[in-house]
Amino acid sequence: MTAPRPAFPARPGLPGLQGSLFDQGSDMGPGPLSGIRRTALGDGGAWVDHLPGWFHGAGALFEELAGSVPWQAEERRMYDHVVAVPRLLAYYREGAPLPHPALLEAREALSGHYARELGEPFVTAGLCLYRDGRDSVAWHGDRIGRSATQDTMVGILSLGDPRDLAFRPRGGGPVALRLPLGHGDLVVMGGSCQRAWEHAVPKTSRAVGPRISVQFRPRGVA
């Protein structure tokens, strides 16, 4: 039988994080975005930008967020059952102070870089803590609010052990793109990605440590 995990894990209870050998400096913050690479998803205007190792000091930021963010466990109804959401969550609405100034720096860097394409800044931050390979997020698109009918962007900063972020067409089909995200990697989903495609962080039987995903969104996108 699988041992249960606490809903609100104490900081020492999280598995150890294997820090990147390339992320041991004292500086913490985003790097340049000049090396970002774009991949088109199909021919309907959806795309994904990817930049490994964008954020410097990702291991240190992970440790601070894991210990200071007020992580919440949530439950959702599925058919006749109420089930636990397989990850811990935190949300910072527009205007709310972020849990670390480096996240504000990262959000402002993304807003500046994508200002011409997006036409507005990123203003919210949602955080997910994946404690181990049993935690996951099912196939979905961020289609609540304006993103249900309009093109938009969602930027994700990944901290901690790598986990795959997979993409497939909306409604099913084979995985078209799989990105192993961790150690300060950045991915930005844009165009019609939320409406026409789905993404997921699948469960894994591999021995993996914890990971924090930070999602930056514009106003009215969830």
Side-chain angles (χ1 to χ4, degrees):
M1 179 179 295
T2 302
R5 292 169 298 183
F8 302 90
R11 178 62 196 93
L14 285 174
L17 171 68
Q18 299 298 318
S20 169
L21 295 176
F22 302 101
D23 192 25
Q24 300 297 324
S26 58
D27 292 339
M28 183 186 297
L33 287 158
S34 54
I36 203 161
R37 298 286 185 89
R38 179 163 297 185
T39 299
L41 296 175
D43 55 5
W47 52 263
V48 175
D49 281 357
H50 181 217
L51 181 57
W54 173 59
F55 192 93
H56 305 297
L61 181 58
F62 174 93
E63 294 292 338
E64 295 199 33
L65 295 179
S68 64
V69 168
W71 300 104
Q72 300 290 321
E74 292 187 359
E75 294 181 334
R76 293 179 183 171
R77 177 170 293 279
M78 292 189 66
Y79 306 105
D80 295 330
H81 302 282
V82 175
V83 298
V85 173
R87 58 195 177 279
L88 301 181
L89 306 168
Y91 181 72
Y92 295 85
R93 67 184 185 279
E94 182 177 359
L98 297 182
H100 196 283
L103 292 183
L104 177 60
E105 187 179 355
R107 191 172 68 183
E108 290 178 343
L110 292 174
S111 293
H113 181 80
Y114 289 101
R116 181 172 295 182
E117 283 185 285
L118 183 57
E120 59 182 317
F122 296 93
V123 296
T124 66
L127 279 67
C128 295
L129 172 57
Y130 300 85
R131 293 158 289 187
D132 55 34
R134 292 174 287 174
D135 278 352
S136 63
V137 61
W139 290 107
H140 72 288
D142 295 357
R143 289 189 284 269
I144 298 176
R146 293 188 295 124
S147 50
T149 58
Q150 301 174 23
D151 286 1
T152 190
M153 295 186 196
V154 176
I156 298 177
L157 169 62
S158 185
L159 308 167
D161 270 17
R163 292 289 299 273
D164 286 350
L165 179 64
F167 295 85
R168 73 179 187 185
R170 182 179 180 181
V175 171
L177 179 66
R178 188 182 297 270
L179 299 173
L181 299 181
H183 296 316
D185 294 353
L186 171 70
V187 65
V188 178
M189 300 174 283
S192 62
C193 191
Q194 303 304 328
R195 292 183 290 108
W197 288 74
E198 297 175 326
H199 55 279
V201 177
K203 296 182 187 294
T204 178
S205 59
R206 293 184 290 109
V208 295
R211 170 183 178 258
I212 293 174
S213 169
V214 184
Q215 307 102 41
F216 300 113
R217 296 182 177 91
R219 181 180 295 117
V221 175

